Amino acid sequence: MRKQYLEIGKIVTVHGLGGIVKVQPWCDDAEFLCEFEVLYCGRQYVPMEIQRASVQKNMALVKFKGVDTVEQAQALRNSILYMDRNDVELEEGTYFIQDLIGLKVSDADTGADYGKIADVLQTGANDVYLLRDDSGKERLVPVIPDVVTEIEPEQGYVKIRPLKGLFDDAD
């Protein structure tokens, strides 16, 4: 089941006196967070219209409409912000990490089960899937075309072709 609202950041503190909050991005970068017109606050997904937003030292400074005082901004501290997946059009072949977590990973040739994606590590060069099988064994898989052959979040699976020596138990 795909979530409609995805975590995008956390309000960590107040910035200045005019109701501006500092947001720690939980997405690709603070720039991405600043592109939205509306974010959703807390588990009730309260829509919050962004009046203006900018980036400062890898954080987003956000001024929400109707939040005009330090006290109002302070009340939002530690709130989780969400984005609506419909507000973003992903390029083909890119996915929300949230949609990858839990996908079953198997061998493209043998069908061997490698477990499920437990996390996606962003290393800079390429992402790395952290796989965990039923016994708790973990494996790291680089997300590169030579290894990841098929990603089907809608069908619930990923197929990989491990390079020789990628897994310590490989031939």
Side-chain angles (χ1 to χ4, degrees):
M1 172 84 182
R2 290 172 17 143
K3 293 182 181 177
Q4 186 65 34
Y5 296 97
L6 304 174
E7 294 176 350
I8 194 167
K10 179 180 180 179
I11 298 173
V12 291
T13 191
V14 174
H15 181 81
L17 302 175
I20 297 172
V21 293
K22 192 179 281 192
V23 179
Q24 177 184 16
W26 291 353
C27 50
D28 287 349
D29 57 32
E31 286 285 333
F32 178 72
L33 194 144
C34 291
E35 292 174 14
F36 289 85
E37 293 177 17
V38 176
L39 291 176
Y40 300 84
C41 189
R43 281 284 185 199
Q44 288 72 43
Y45 309 117
V46 176
M48 309 257 318
E49 190 177 333
I50 295 177
Q51 204 167 317
R52 65 180 179 279
S54 62
V55 176
Q56 183 185 64
K57 296 181 184 170
N58 298 324
M59 300 288 266
L61 298 180
V62 180
K63 169 67 175 82
F64 289 110
K65 190 174 187 176
V67 178
D68 301 312
T69 67
V70 174
E71 294 76 20
Q72 289 172 318
Q74 190 68 32
L76 295 173
R77 236 176 118 223
N78 295 319
S79 295
I80 306 301
L81 294 173
Y82 296 83
M83 54 163 269
D84 184 332
R85 74 167 53 244
N86 293 336
D87 292 343
V88 177
E89 194 165 320
L90 294 176
E91 293 177 31
E92 189 166 336
T94 60
Y95 306 92
F96 292 117
I97 289 175
Q98 194 89 39
D99 293 341
L100 298 172
I101 304 291
L103 293 183
K104 182 180 174 198
V105 180
S106 60
D107 193 290
D109 300 317
T110 68
D113 182 7
Y114 294 120
K116 295 181 177 178
I117 297 175
D119 199 0
V120 178
L121 312 173
Q122 297 177 299
T123 65
N126 55 268
D127 289 350
V128 175
Y129 292 158
L130 170 65
L131 309 184
R132 190 174 296 127
D133 66 18
D134 291 337
S135 70
K137 180 176 181 174
E138 294 184 342
R139 295 180 165 119
L140 296 174
V141 175
V143 183
I144 56 175
D146 287 351
V147 175
V148 179
T149 62
E150 196 176 345
I151 302 172
E152 294 292 341
E154 297 290 326
Q155 282 73 44
Y157 71 85
V158 172
K159 295 206 182 285
I160 65 170
R161 188 170 285 127
L163 298 172
K164 188 168 177 61
L166 179 63
F167 300 149
D168 53 11
D169 55 355
D171 307 9

